[in-house]
Protein backbone atom coordinates (compact mmCIF):
# COMPACT_ATOMS: atom_id res chain seq x y z
CA UNK A 1 0.00 0.00 0.00
CA UNK A 2 1.30 3.45 -0.93
CA UNK A 3 -0.46 5.89 1.39
CA UNK A 4 -4.12 4.91 1.03
CA UNK A 5 -3.61 3.42 -2.43
CA UNK A 6 -3.83 -0.36 -2.62
CA UNK A 7 -1.56 -2.12 -5.07
CA UNK A 8 -2.12 -5.40 -6.87
CA UNK A 9 0.30 -8.31 -6.68
CA UNK A 10 0.34 -10.55 -9.76
CA UNK A 11 2.18 -13.81 -9.08
CA UNK A 12 2.59 -16.53 -11.69
CA UNK A 13 4.25 -19.93 -11.40
CA UNK A 14 5.11 -21.87 -14.54
CA UNK A 15 6.30 -25.36 -15.23
CA UNK A 16 8.50 -25.56 -18.32
CA UNK A 17 7.55 -28.09 -20.99
CA UNK A 18 8.65 -31.57 -20.01
CA UNK A 19 9.84 -32.37 -23.54
CA UNK A 20 12.54 -29.68 -23.40
CA UNK A 21 16.14 -30.69 -22.71
CA UNK A 22 17.96 -29.18 -19.73
CA UNK A 23 19.75 -26.80 -22.10
CA UNK A 24 16.48 -25.79 -23.77
CA UNK A 25 14.88 -25.22 -20.37
CA UNK A 26 17.77 -23.00 -19.28
CA UNK A 27 17.55 -20.97 -22.49
CA UNK A 28 13.76 -20.69 -22.23
CA UNK A 29 13.93 -19.60 -18.59
CA UNK A 30 16.47 -16.90 -19.45
CA UNK A 31 14.38 -15.67 -22.40
CA UNK A 32 11.25 -15.55 -20.23
CA UNK A 33 13.11 -13.65 -17.48
CA UNK A 34 14.60 -11.12 -19.90
CA UNK A 35 11.36 -10.66 -21.79
CA UNK A 36 9.14 -10.13 -18.77
CA UNK A 37 11.58 -8.00 -16.78
CA UNK A 38 12.05 -5.90 -19.91
CA UNK A 39 8.42 -4.79 -19.60
CA UNK A 40 9.28 -2.46 -16.71
CA UNK A 41 8.86 1.08 -17.95
CA UNK A 42 6.84 -0.03 -20.98
CA UNK A 43 3.48 -0.88 -19.40
CA UNK A 44 1.52 1.88 -17.65
CA UNK A 45 0.77 1.03 -14.03
CA UNK A 46 3.45 -1.67 -13.76
CA UNK A 47 5.43 -0.73 -10.65
CA UNK A 48 7.79 -3.67 -10.36
CA UNK A 49 8.39 -6.99 -12.12
CA UNK A 50 10.84 -9.73 -11.16
CA UNK A 51 11.30 -13.23 -12.48
CA UNK A 52 12.94 -16.02 -10.49
CA UNK A 53 14.20 -18.60 -12.98
CA UNK A 54 17.21 -20.23 -11.29
CA UNK A 55 18.23 -21.60 -7.93
CA UNK A 56 15.13 -23.67 -7.22
CA UNK A 57 15.44 -26.20 -4.42
CA UNK A 58 14.52 -29.84 -4.98
CA UNK A 59 11.32 -29.23 -2.99
CA UNK A 60 9.99 -26.92 -5.76
CA UNK A 61 7.35 -28.06 -8.21
CA UNK A 62 7.52 -24.98 -10.45
CA UNK A 63 10.37 -23.80 -12.65
CA UNK A 64 9.75 -20.05 -12.95
CA UNK A 65 8.06 -17.42 -10.81
CA UNK A 66 6.84 -14.00 -11.88
CA UNK A 67 6.40 -11.53 -9.02
CA UNK A 68 4.92 -8.25 -10.20
CA UNK A 69 3.30 -5.24 -8.58
CA UNK A 70 0.76 -3.03 -10.33
CA UNK A 71 -0.94 0.18 -9.29
CA UNK A 72 -4.51 -1.14 -9.38
CA UNK A 73 -6.84 -3.84 -10.70
CA UNK A 74 -7.33 -1.63 -13.76
CA UNK A 75 -3.56 -1.55 -14.31
CA UNK A 76 -3.56 -5.37 -14.21
CA UNK A 77 -6.14 -5.40 -17.00
CA UNK A 78 -4.00 -3.00 -19.04
CA UNK A 79 -0.92 -5.16 -18.42
CA UNK A 80 -2.75 -8.30 -19.56
CA UNK A 81 -3.59 -6.81 -22.95
CA UNK A 82 -0.63 -4.48 -23.48
CA UNK A 83 1.06 -5.29 -26.83
CA UNK A 84 4.54 -5.58 -25.27
CA UNK A 85 3.27 -8.08 -22.68
CA UNK A 86 1.27 -10.04 -25.25
CA UNK A 87 4.38 -10.26 -27.46
CA UNK A 88 6.46 -11.75 -24.63
CA UNK A 89 3.65 -14.08 -23.54
CA UNK A 90 3.05 -15.37 -27.06
CA UNK A 91 6.69 -15.29 -28.13
CA UNK A 92 8.53 -16.98 -25.25
CA UNK A 93 6.26 -17.84 -22.33
CA UNK A 94 3.44 -19.89 -23.85
CA UNK A 95 5.62 -21.83 -26.32
CA UNK A 96 7.90 -23.02 -23.50
CA UNK A 97 5.51 -23.70 -20.61
CA UNK A 98 2.88 -26.33 -19.98
CA UNK A 99 1.46 -25.43 -16.57
CA UNK A 100 0.54 -21.95 -15.31
CA UNK A 101 -0.72 -21.01 -11.85
CA UNK A 102 -1.79 -17.45 -11.06
CA UNK A 103 -2.51 -15.58 -7.85
CA UNK A 104 -3.66 -11.96 -8.03
CA UNK A 105 -4.40 -10.09 -4.82
CA UNK A 106 -4.72 -6.60 -3.38
CA UNK A 107 -1.87 -5.66 -1.11
Amino acid sequence: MIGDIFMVKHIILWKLRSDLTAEQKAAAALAIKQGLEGLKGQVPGLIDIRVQATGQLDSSNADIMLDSTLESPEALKIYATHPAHVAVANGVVRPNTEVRTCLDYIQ
Side-chain angles (χ1 to χ4, degrees):
M1 187 166 92
I2 301 175
D4 288 336
I5 300 171
F6 292 92
M7 296 179 289
V8 170
K9 290 297 287 184
H10 175 62
I11 310 292
I12 306 287
L13 296 174
W14 287 283
K15 187 80 176 156
L16 291 166
R17 287 187 9 227
S18 56
D19 63 331
L20 297 176
T21 66
E23 294 79 19
Q24 290 170 323
K25 286 182 178 184
L30 179 60
I32 290 168
K33 178 178 178 63
Q34 291 174 337
L36 289 171
E37 289 182 349
L39 296 174
K40 190 167 184 178
Q42 293 188 56
V43 180
L46 178 61
I47 297 169
D48 190 34
I49 188 164
R50 290 176 286 138
V51 176
Q52 182 64 40
T54 59
Q56 296 83 348
L57 299 177
D58 290 340
S59 57
S60 299
N61 60 8
D63 298 309
I64 300 173
M65 179 190 70
L66 166 70
D67 179 358
S68 54
T69 306
L70 296 107
E71 292 176 351
S72 65
E74 294 75 23
L76 178 59
K77 291 177 186 175
I78 291 168
Y79 169 82
T81 60
H82 191 279
H85 172 256
V86 171
V88 172
N90 290 339
V92 293
V93 177
R94 290 185 182 107
N96 291 296
T97 58
E98 59 187 12
V99 177
R100 175 187 181 271
T101 302
C102 175
L103 175 64
D104 296 327
Y105 63 94
I106 294 176
Q107 181 176 339

